[in-house]
Amino acid sequence: MKDDMTRDELLETIERQDLAINKMSQTLETIQSRTRKILTSLPLGLLILNDEMVIEAANSRIEQIFSYTPRELAGQKIQIIFPDLETVEADALPKKTPARVKSHDYIVCEIFANEYEDDGVKRIFLHVQDVTEKQRLEQLRKDFVQMVSHDLRTPLTSINMLLSMLSQDRFGKLDEQGYTAVERAHSNADYLIKLVSDLLDAEKLESGDLEIEIQPTSVKNVISKTVDATQDAAKAQKVSLETEAIEGGFLADEDRLVQVLINLVSNAVKYSEAGSSVTIKGSINGEGAVFSVIDRGPGIPAHQQEAIFQRYKQLNQPKKLKRRGFGLGLAICKALVEAHKGKIWLESEEGKGSTFSFAIPNRKI
């Protein structure tokens, strides 16, 4: 009887184990199926390489890019599609490389590699994206910016000089209507020149070519140059500029900081009502130089403040204060401040004006 009970218990145990094994097999099959679906549905191409740079597997997106089926690629060296690659190493950043498709035409790909080990065997996941069209469009954009620089900035500068000469009676006196027309044309030319300059700076931001030249400067120098550059525009808007500067020297690219302040002051003047004032503050503390531009304008709603420094972002404006702009100025200010390892921020309350501030940390030569 005891032996029978033991046999029954053993059979029951075996049955339970069979059920557990079947369940585990089903779970494993489900996981494998999901993994295959994930790999085949990835918007990027995926190659799995061994440590000898031999392709072990590929997803369907690879076939769309290179016209090779995963079966055709399996067992082939990576050079079949990336002839310039001797080896692939895991890297935190993607890189561009030429690639060759089945027809032997060349395209440009961006690749990103991750390394992992499975039972002591090293493998590499290589993510692949065809960026040929993206690169072509990027080149078109660069060519367009260069065209704008060459074909617009020079003639606009000449036009501006001519308008200045007209306003100074170099070619004879104008009547009141003539001076008004010249002033309006001068304003439009200034706007277009500023727009071209912003486009060029935006291009430098995009390409990473925006450089700063560190030199000794002072708070008063930066503010003085800013006031000189913005005083006329402020007077035209009947807005007064006030300054509060505490003398102190520091290291920075003076011209770039003046550019930042000119942009902030110009915006403040633009959105200020006639008869109001804009205050420019500057000081030195233990951490570096701090500048602020304070206006008494309409303020910026809280829900729009996060986007204020984004490129090509223009906020909703009150109809009575509708102003022209391209949405690049503040983005460029942010980039210039960050190029100094500094930070820029906004404090504003709707109906009570805005304060734009930036801080430039102390640096050693």
Side-chain angles (χ1 to χ4, degrees):
M1 184 70 178
K2 186 175 181 181
D3 289 340
D4 290 341
M5 287 179 64
T6 303
R7 193 181 303 113
D8 289 343
E9 288 174 356
L10 182 60
L11 289 172
E12 187 178 341
T13 300
I14 292 172
E15 188 176 347
R16 284 200 306 269
Q17 288 178 342
D18 281 342
L19 288 172
I21 291 170
N22 287 334
K23 190 172 182 180
M24 288 174 65
S25 297
Q26 290 173 4
T27 301
L28 180 60
E29 188 176 337
T30 300
I31 291 172
Q32 290 174 336
S33 175
R34 287 176 180 172
T35 302
R36 282 193 295 270
K37 283 182 180 179
I38 290 170
L39 293 179
T40 55
S41 64
L42 281 173
L44 301 179
L46 177 64
L47 295 168
I48 299 177
L49 313 174
N50 63 22
D51 57 359
E52 295 179 351
M53 297 297 109
V54 172
I55 299 169
E56 293 188 345
N59 70 351
S60 58
R61 178 61 182 148
I62 287 292
E63 183 175 358
Q64 295 172 19
I65 296 173
F66 298 102
S67 299
Y68 287 107
T69 65
R71 187 183 294 273
E72 289 174 317
L73 290 175
Q76 297 284 348
K77 285 276 192 179
I78 188 66
Q79 287 80 18
I80 189 175
I81 51 180
F82 294 115
D84 290 355
L85 291 184
E86 292 296 327
T87 186
V88 176
E89 296 180 356
D91 198 336
L93 297 172
K95 67 178 182 179
K96 290 180 183 176
T97 183
R100 186 172 56 202
V101 301
K102 192 174 182 179
S103 65
H104 296 290
D105 290 330
Y106 275 84
I107 60 175
V108 180
C109 286
E110 195 171 70
I111 61 173
F112 178 79
N114 282 313
E115 188 178 294
Y116 78 103
E117 283 193 16
D118 183 16
D119 291 333
V121 179
K122 186 179 80 171
R123 286 185 173 84
I124 291 175
F125 272 8
L126 188 66
H127 302 272
V128 182
Q129 183 177 16
D130 180 2
V131 294
T132 308
E133 181 64 12
K134 179 182 175 183
Q135 183 157 299
R136 186 185 71 83
L137 293 174
E138 179 70 13
Q139 188 58 49
L140 284 175
R141 184 181 64 80
K142 289 181 179 179
D143 291 344
F144 169 74
V145 171
Q146 290 303 316
M147 180 273 292
V148 167
S149 172
H150 183 269
D151 295 345
L152 286 182
R153 186 162 60 173
T154 301
L156 279 171
T157 303
S158 298
I159 290 170
N160 225 11
M161 289 176 62
L162 177 60
L163 291 169
S164 294
M165 293 168 71
L166 284 171
S167 66
Q168 295 167 12
D169 300 330
R170 295 284 188 88
F171 304 103
K173 284 191 170 293
L174 302 173
D175 58 20
E176 187 176 341
Q177 189 175 359
Y179 286 119
T180 301
V182 168
E183 185 180 347
R184 188 181 300 115
H186 205 337
S187 174
N188 286 331
D190 281 340
Y191 169 73
L192 288 174
I193 291 171
K194 174 69 164 56
L195 178 57
V196 170
S197 296
D198 283 351
L199 281 171
L200 292 174
D201 279 341
E203 165 61 21
K204 290 176 183 177
L205 286 178
E206 190 74 24
S207 62
D209 293 333
L210 190 66
E211 296 180 354
I212 59 172
E213 297 180 8
I214 301 301
Q215 57 188 349
T217 183
S218 70
V219 170
K220 284 192 174 179
N221 275 358
V222 173
I223 290 181
S224 177
K225 288 186 176 182
T226 301
V227 171
D228 288 344
T230 55
Q231 189 71 261
D232 290 344
K235 286 180 180 177
Q237 293 288 332
K238 298 181 180 178
V239 173
S240 63
L241 297 183
E242 300 175 354
T243 62
E244 296 180 21
I246 297 175
E247 186 54 280
F250 62 105
L251 295 173
D253 187 326
E254 183 180 280
D255 291 339
R256 288 302 195 178
L257 293 192
V258 171
Q259 181 182 350
V260 172
L261 269 183
I262 286 175
N263 202 302
L264 296 180
V265 173
S266 297
N267 282 347
V269 168
K270 191 164 59 173
Y271 292 103
S272 295
E273 294 186 359
S276 64
S277 64
V278 168
T279 303
I280 310 166
K281 289 185 176 183
S283 62
I284 295 283
N285 59 31
E287 297 181 356
V290 181
F291 295 89
S292 296
V293 176
I294 306 163
D295 68 56
R296 284 82 182 171
I300 298 167
H303 68 278
Q304 295 186 28
Q305 291 180 19
E306 251 183 62
I308 196 75
F309 294 105
Q310 294 177 11
R311 273 187 295 173
Y312 305 109
K313 186 72 177 178
Q314 290 181 291
L315 305 184
N316 297 329
Q317 303 175 25
K319 288 183 180 180
K320 66 176 182 177
L321 286 174
K322 205 75 171 176
R323 300 289 189 264
R324 292 185 301 181
F326 204 59
L328 284 172
L330 289 176
I332 292 170
C333 288
K334 183 174 185 287
L336 290 174
V337 170
E338 290 179 349
H340 284 82
K341 310 299 182 186
K343 62 177 181 178
I344 187 169
W345 66 94
L346 162 68
E347 297 169 275
S348 184
E349 189 175 343
E350 202 167 359
K352 295 186 178 180
S354 303
T355 299
F356 282 87
S357 303
F358 64 92
I360 304 299
N362 288 325
R363 82 164 58 218
K364 297 178 182 178
I365 297 179

